[in-house]
Amino acid sequence: MNAQTGRIGPNAILQLVPVLEDEAGPEVTAHLMAMAGVIEIPNPAEGLIDEGPAARLHQAMRAEMPDAAPRLAKEAGKRTGDYILAHRIPSKAQAILRLLPARLAAPILAKAVAKHAWTFCGSGDFRLVSTWPVVFEIGDNPVVRGERSDVPLCHWHAAVFERLFSELCGPGWSCEEVACCAQGAEACRFEMARVR
């Protein structure tokens, strides 16, 4: 699958646009959306969207607002995690995960993330490297495809993972992207750790 045919969840745009509007206002946001080819805000009821405009919106934000981009992507990722918790993970499953010790809950959640990876990695190649400690990889990540950076860029993905694990597997989880395709790595690598 290539960037022309890859599909990704609409939250890649839906949760970023309000963050951009709050930070830079509607005119700058409209400019970034136009740069990315985002014609209209996607309707979540219509399912997956073309990954191209979503990826380009994240890339346009990084290009035009490099200092603020990591913080804005993290906030959009947190909001994406909140949306998933509110609309995608059944409340009974959430309750069960919250009752389990982290050592049991985290591998279960990691496998669920892997099962639904197509919603956030598009045409990228997702791999669950380890369930304890939890490690994910996204090869050929479309959200950074074609970019070059000295530092990891996937703050949105990391924030989604961090939010889900902190809410469902006990507080205090962090997610660090330790390698990124934009740095020339074969995959964006995300390592989960419980910090308390």
Side-chain angles (χ1 to χ4, degrees):
M1 191 180 291
N2 61 39
Q4 299 296 323
T5 60
R7 310 284 286 171
I8 198 167
N11 279 297
I13 292 176
L14 285 174
Q15 304 305 328
L16 182 57
V17 167
V19 171
L20 290 170
E21 289 177 338
D22 290 347
E23 176 77 13
E27 288 184 12
V28 171
T29 302
H31 170 69
L32 293 174
M33 290 173 64
M35 286 177 62
V38 177
I39 308 303
E40 60 186 0
I41 302 295
N43 180 348
E46 295 177 3
L48 298 179
I49 61 171
D50 180 356
E51 72 182 18
R56 289 192 300 271
L57 182 58
H58 284 257
Q59 293 168 357
M61 173 186 67
R62 287 191 288 270
E64 299 289 309
M65 307 170 70
D67 293 337
R71 175 174 49 82
L72 301 178
K74 286 177 188 176
E75 179 60 25
K78 177 185 172 293
R79 293 183 186 193
T80 299
D82 288 341
Y83 180 91
I84 293 167
L85 290 164
H87 301 284
R88 294 292 180 249
I89 302 175
S91 58
K92 287 183 180 179
Q94 292 189 40
I96 291 168
L97 285 172
R98 287 185 174 113
L99 288 173
L100 294 173
R103 179 65 180 87
L104 297 177
I108 293 170
L109 181 56
K111 290 175 185 175
V113 167
K115 183 178 179 183
H116 298 281
W118 46 270
T119 64
F120 59 82
C121 76
S123 62
D125 180 25
F126 184 85
R127 188 165 78 97
L128 174 56
V129 177
S130 170
T131 59
W132 192 266
V134 177
V135 179
F136 302 122
E137 288 184 349
I138 303 175
D140 192 25
N141 187 348
V143 178
V144 296
R145 189 176 287 145
E147 288 185 271
R148 293 293 172 257
S149 173
D150 293 332
V151 297
L153 297 179
C154 303
H155 304 286
W156 177 69
H157 283 103
V160 174
F161 299 146
E162 189 169 294
R163 183 65 170 168
L164 293 177
F165 278 81
S166 291
E167 285 296 313
L168 298 175
C169 303
W173 284 86
S174 69
C175 180
E176 182 181 1
E177 185 184 15
V178 297
C180 185
C181 292
Q183 295 175 291
E186 289 188 16
C188 299
R189 184 180 175 94
F190 302 91
E191 296 184 355
M192 304 293 307
R194 195 158 184 209
V195 294
R196 66 173 188 180

